Amino acid sequence: MTAATRRPARPDAAARGATGTGRAAAHHGEILQGVFLDERRRPCHGLVTLPVVGRGSTARFTQRPETPPEEVTVSPAGRTKARAAAVLAVHACAARRREPCGGELVLTGDLPVGLGMGSSTSDVIATVRAVAASWGLLLPPRTIARIAVRAEGASDPLMHGSRPLLFAQREGRVLETLGTALPPAVVVGCALGGGEPVDTLSLPAPDHGEDLHAYEHLRRMLRRAVTDADTALLGRVSTASARMRQRVLRHREFPALTGIADSTGAAGIQIAHSGNVAGLLYDPRTPGLHRRLRRCARALDRAGIPQTRTFTTFATPHQRGVPPWTHTSRTPSADRT
């Protein structure tokens, strides 16, 4: 029980139990998403996300002893996936400690909803960690992934940290650990399609025939890109994946985005397969990088594509991973939660 729940000043303090806090990061959409072979050579939906530093969700769960475990209130209202995850986590945690009970869930964060940055998964993971913390537990990523898939229907691999993983989003399991970190890249983020949400589960599934061979080829290329820290190869993979997904998403800005990448010397483009966030990838070792980034920003403005934020795939001493020579700008639609 926390000190806050022992304070007699609150009239309902006696009805409250322990409080736990959990946090989860976000991502910037996918580098690669499609159909791949699992360890038994069976076709399986999978993805590799692009981590983004410094953004995410925080959850606080306060137990209410002697209430049914399904009695979970959530704020802000409408976070139904997080609420479902809380109930599932209560049962999973209480089974190891004592009888389950309901509680109060409060979510905070700075993630835009519907752009494809994993806002719902971030909420869900933070929630599961908060519930577990209220029982004095630290659940392993595999358990969190199972709960997340049950709560959402599909999940991003945010519970596993920032390592590049090929993750079966509809099954909650890792298909392959590609390495310890993605190749170094500076990502100029932008928003497509007016930031409208995309219902991933309603989209047509990739073809298991011809597409399977293409995606397995991209998987091998990405594996090599990670091993060799090859940013150019990373850009080729993400661009090819985005181009294949364009058959389903059909972003009208796609030609403009690829044109800007070509004209400014970007390694490639990256587009969320479950939303409208996108990015242009630049090798930080490229000569004249400052000039290229300025030209990119001007070209995005001319094309009417809002720039959101610039970040890196590698650690820097600066807040949110943004080196001093990059420009960070945000549009209201891109930062609205």
Side-chain angles (χ1 to χ4, degrees), residues 208-222:
H208 283 190
E210 184 177 342
D211 282 354
L212 174 60
H213 298 292
Y215 282 122
E216 277 294 318
H217 178 63
L218 292 177
R219 175 185 188 173
R220 292 190 293 271
M221 289 175 61
L222 183 56

Side-chain angles (χ1 to χ4, degrees), residues 220-222 224-226 228 230-238 267:
R220 292 190 293 271
M221 289 175 61
L222 183 56
R224 189 167 76 250
V226 171
D228 297 342
D230 189 333
T231 307
L233 190 54
L234 173 72
R236 286 171 56 194
V237 170
S238 62

Side-chain angles (χ1 to χ4, degrees), residues 83-97:
R83 184 189 177 282
V87 174
L88 292 169
V90 163
H91 285 287
C93 295
R96 309 182 187 195
R97 287 288 191 263

